[in-house]
Amino acid sequence: MILGIGTDLANIERIQGTLDRFGDRFKNRVFTEVEQKKAERRHDVAGTYAKRWAAKEACSKALGTGLRMGIAWKDMAVSNLDTGQPVMAVTGWAKDRLEAMTPPGHQAIIHVTLTDDHPWAQAFVVIEARPLNPGELPRSA
């Protein structure tokens, strides 16, 4: 069953301007160390940050809160599998919210997809609840 859906569209040039203006202060407030390392290795640094910004916004919407109620930017983190597929992990208040919205006997799975076409970066997040098999323990999100 679908627990939440979120999407966001970010302007890459706006993110570049924010990076130019606030630099590390912006990066350290919004992005995890892993996200920063990924972005700084990429040819399109601002585009990479913009996609992750959009993913965090989309995740907060899928959680049903937006960026309020105690959720922090770093409570939502995008990384990539070896195949390149993006994955979203939640910690802190975002994890608490995810656990609260997951029905008993189910495991929450966060699906995320990212795309960009300059000057736009876009993300979609779908939160799914899958029934657990009897005796199965939930995986962490």
Side-chain angles (χ1 to χ4, degrees), residues 91-107:
T91 58
W93 189 91
K95 183 177 181 181
D96 294 344
R97 171 69 180 148
L98 181 64
E99 289 171 356
M101 64 192 285
T102 304
H106 289 74
Q107 171 184 341

Side-chain angles (χ1 to χ4, degrees), residues 24 26-41 48-49 52 56 73-79 91:
D24 288 343
F26 169 66
K27 290 187 265 186
N28 292 332
R29 178 175 173 245
V30 176
F31 301 100
T32 66
E33 188 175 319
V34 169
E35 290 172 314
Q36 290 181 48
K37 286 181 181 178
K38 171 79 172 183
E40 298 299 327
R41 286 194 313 261
T48 303
Y49 279 122
R52 277 148 180 74
K56 291 167 185 276
W73 288 101
K74 288 184 177 182
D75 285 348
M76 303 164 289
V78 178
S79 61
T91 58

